[in-house]
Amino acid sequence: MNFKKITIASIALLSIAFTACSSSDSKTESTKQTLTNVSYDPTRELYANYNQVFAKHWKEKTGKDVEITQSHGGSGKQALEVANGLEADVVTLALEYDVNAVRDAGLIEDGWVKEFPLNSAPYTSTIVFLVRKGNPKNLKDWGDLVKDGIGVITPNPKTSGGARWNYLAAWAWAEKQYNGDEAKVKEFVKKLYKNVLVLASGARGSTTTFIENGQGDVLLAWENEAFLSLKDYPNDYEIVIPSVSILAEPSVAIVDKVVDKRGTRELATEYLNFLYSDEGQHIAAKNHYRPSNKAILDQYKEFDQNVNLIDISYFGGWDKAQKTHFSNGGIFDQIYEKK
């Protein structure tokens, strides 16, 4: 027996087998893509559902698998993380200003707000009061929240997009109540925040404070977050809709610099476009966000469409609202007294 020939033949066979295996592994790997969505606090359940449906849609459309990584936190904090290097293919944040912060870091191109329909807001929400069952403190409107002995739970508007919507809704009510007298409006909002027991960094943290820790008499909450609480604790809480609230428009955007580097633009574009599909809109509604498609919104009777909602244009847009109220030295800093 020629041992040398057998050895060479064996090596050749192994080489062929290894090459075939590597080629197969490479083919499998090449059909799998990844996408990172950096979002804000209360969208956890929404995107847990949506990502599963989208992955199936993408597979049917392209034959490729997709693995979606999700990140959640206070919207302002999340925007800062992305601006500082957290790689995101897309951001789905609580408000336009936070996306603009990522744009200002050079990661998103100008004009992003017109890249998708309805100013790149595929679903909306509003701000409601979540109170304990029976509403023992009889809290019916914003004016009730400044009474002595009322414990209010809301996140910090310096880090949370939802908190900024809460603050602006209260401000708008006070302006109408006091006929635009800014001194009285400021005093009202100051009293409101004097009654705030805990300022969490994000909306989900405030929900935990109110629900799990049992603190406070009222939670200023995203509508979807309030409905989730009712679903989990149907006998413990109820929703109060104030006389004036705000049209909260969470924004979505492609992070251009990242997708161009990673070669994921087509995937990221489809991921956000699919939110506007009938299937995507129903997923939003089932997770208690208001679909932007009016015909689909009308199918979900849980949403009170008669609420008096102001929108951000009332404040001159987000850039002006941010500068006036939430920037360093703005009105919030002037009126908030740390406990």
Side-chain angles (χ1 to χ4, degrees), residues 287-331:
N287 284 276
H288 313 293
Y289 282 92
R290 296 182 176 218
S292 58
N293 183 323
K294 182 68 163 55
I296 294 177
L297 173 63
D298 289 342
Q299 296 175 35
Y300 291 84
K301 303 307 179 187
E302 72 178 38
F303 300 116
D304 184 349
Q305 296 188 52
N306 297 314
V307 184
N308 181 11
L309 298 180
I310 61 160
D311 63 35
I312 195 62
S313 65
Y314 178 88
F315 296 93
W318 264 113
D319 286 342
K320 183 177 180 181
Q322 179 72 25
K323 182 178 180 180
T324 301
H325 295 276
F326 309 118
S327 62
N328 291 336
I331 293 175

Side-chain angles (χ1 to χ4, degrees), residues 189-200:
V189 178
K190 183 175 182 177
K191 285 182 179 178
L192 173 59
Y193 278 88
K194 189 175 181 181
N195 279 352
V196 172
L197 303 180
V198 179
L199 280 182

Side-chain angles (χ1 to χ4, degrees), residues 133-165:
K133 196 71 172 181
N135 195 4
K137 296 295 180 74
N138 196 30
L139 306 175
K140 296 181 179 179
D141 212 345
W142 293 102
D144 297 321
L145 306 190
V146 299
K147 294 177 180 176
D148 291 342
I150 301 300
V152 178
I153 304 297
T154 183
N156 188 341
K158 304 290 277 190
T159 56
S160 165
R164 276 169 273 175
W165 290 118

Side-chain angles (χ1 to χ4, degrees), residues 40-42 73-74 155 160 162-163 200-208 219-220 222 225:
Y40 65 104
D41 253 347
S160 165
S201 64
R204 184 55 57 89
S206 285
T207 302
T208 298
L219 172 68
L220 305 187
W222 289 94
E225 192 81 341

